[in-house]
Amino acid sequence: INSQLAPVRVTLGRIAGARVRDQDAVAEYQRALAIDPSYFDAYQGLAKTLVRLEKSQEAEKAYRKAIDLRQGYWRGHKELGVFYYMQGRYAEAEACFLKAKDLAPENFQIANIYSNLGGVYIQTGRLAEAERMLLDSLDRKPLAEAYNNLAAVYYYQNRYDEAAVAMEEAVKLGRANPSILGSLARTYALTNR
C-alpha cells in the first residue's frame, strides 16, 4: 500500500535476506534509512547482511550506528557482541554482552546473554567463570546453546559424564550444534555409560 514507509522497506530487506539476495537486502535497508535515518531495525538488518557479504568494517559501523540511536537498548549491544565474538574479538564481545546484561537484567533474553558470556569465557580460557555464567543462564531458561557451551566446559575439564549429560540436554531441546552430536559420541567413549 505504501512503499515509502521505513518498516515496509525493512520487511522487504528481511525477505530478500531470507532468500539469500543480500545485495537486494542491502538496497532495501538503505532505502529504509533514506526514509528514516534513525530507524534502529534498518541498521541492525543492514549490519547482519553486511556480515554475510563479508564487509566487516561496514557492518561494525552499522551496528555502532544502531547503538548510537538507542544506547539504552540491550539488543544493540548484544548484536554487536555477537559480531565481535564471531570476529574473535573476545574482549570487545565481553564488554558488549556485559552492557546488554546491565541494560536488561530481567529481560526475556537475559538467559541468552548469559550463554553468550559463557561462550566468551570458554574462548578466553576462563572455564570456572564460564560454568557459573552458563548455570545462571540455565537457571533462567533451558537453552540448547547454553547446554552446548556447558558441555564444552565439562569436556575441557575432563568431566566427561557431566559433559555427556549437558550434550544430551542440548539434543533434547532439538537445537544442538551439529558438532555436538559427534562430540557426544566421542564423550560416550570416555564415560562409564
Side-chain angles (χ1 to χ4, degrees):
I1 296 171
N2 186 350
S3 63
Q4 294 307 306
L5 296 173
V8 171
R9 290 297 178 183
V10 167
T11 300
L12 291 171
R14 289 177 180 153
I15 292 168
R19 292 181 172 172
V20 195
R21 293 181 10 223
D22 290 330
Q23 295 297 340
D24 293 340
V26 167
E28 291 298 344
Y29 292 127
Q30 289 172 335
R31 285 183 189 113
L33 291 168
I35 296 165
D36 181 356
S38 64
Y39 196 40
F40 176 89
D41 288 342
Y43 279 108
Q44 287 286 302
L46 178 61
K48 288 178 183 182
T49 306
L50 291 169
V51 167
R52 286 194 306 271
L53 290 170
E54 298 181 5
K55 296 182 177 184
S56 296
Q57 289 180 337
E58 292 176 52
E60 183 176 1
K61 286 178 187 174
Y63 279 125
R64 290 210 162 276
K65 182 64 178 173
I67 288 173
D68 288 345
L69 292 171
R70 294 183 67 186
Q71 292 185 18
Y73 184 38
W74 64 271
R75 189 172 137 224
H77 298 280
K78 179 192 172 283
E79 296 295 334
L80 181 58
V82 170
F83 169 78
Y84 285 144
Y85 181 90
M86 299 307 289
Q87 299 284 313
R89 296 163 63 180
Y90 301 121
E92 292 162 290
E94 180 182 5
C96 288
F97 293 143
L98 288 171
K99 181 70 174 178
K101 180 173 97 50
D102 290 344
L103 291 171
E106 298 305 320
N107 184 284
F108 70 96
Q109 283 286 332
I110 196 69
N112 188 271
I113 294 167
Y114 279 34
S115 181
N116 293 145
L117 277 165
V120 167
Y121 296 151
I122 291 169
Q123 294 299 325
T124 56
R126 296 151 56 193
L127 298 181
E129 288 177 79
E131 182 178 3
R132 279 192 303 278
M133 192 59 61
L134 293 164
L135 290 172
D136 281 349
S137 172
L138 291 167
D139 280 345
R140 286 167 169 74
K141 182 178 179 182
L143 297 170
E145 295 80 5
Y147 279 117
N148 284 339
N149 285 339
L150 187 60
V153 169
Y154 293 151
Y155 190 89
Y156 294 143
Q157 294 174 330
N158 301 323
R159 296 162 61 186
Y160 302 119
D161 287 327
E162 292 167 280
V165 169
M167 289 180 210
E168 290 167 348
E169 290 301 317
V171 171
K172 282 181 196 173
L173 289 170
R175 294 202 45 213
N177 180 318
S179 68
I180 217 66
L181 296 173
S183 296
L184 180 57
R186 287 189 299 278
T187 302
Y188 280 150
L190 299 169
T191 68
N192 296 322
R193 303 173 83 154

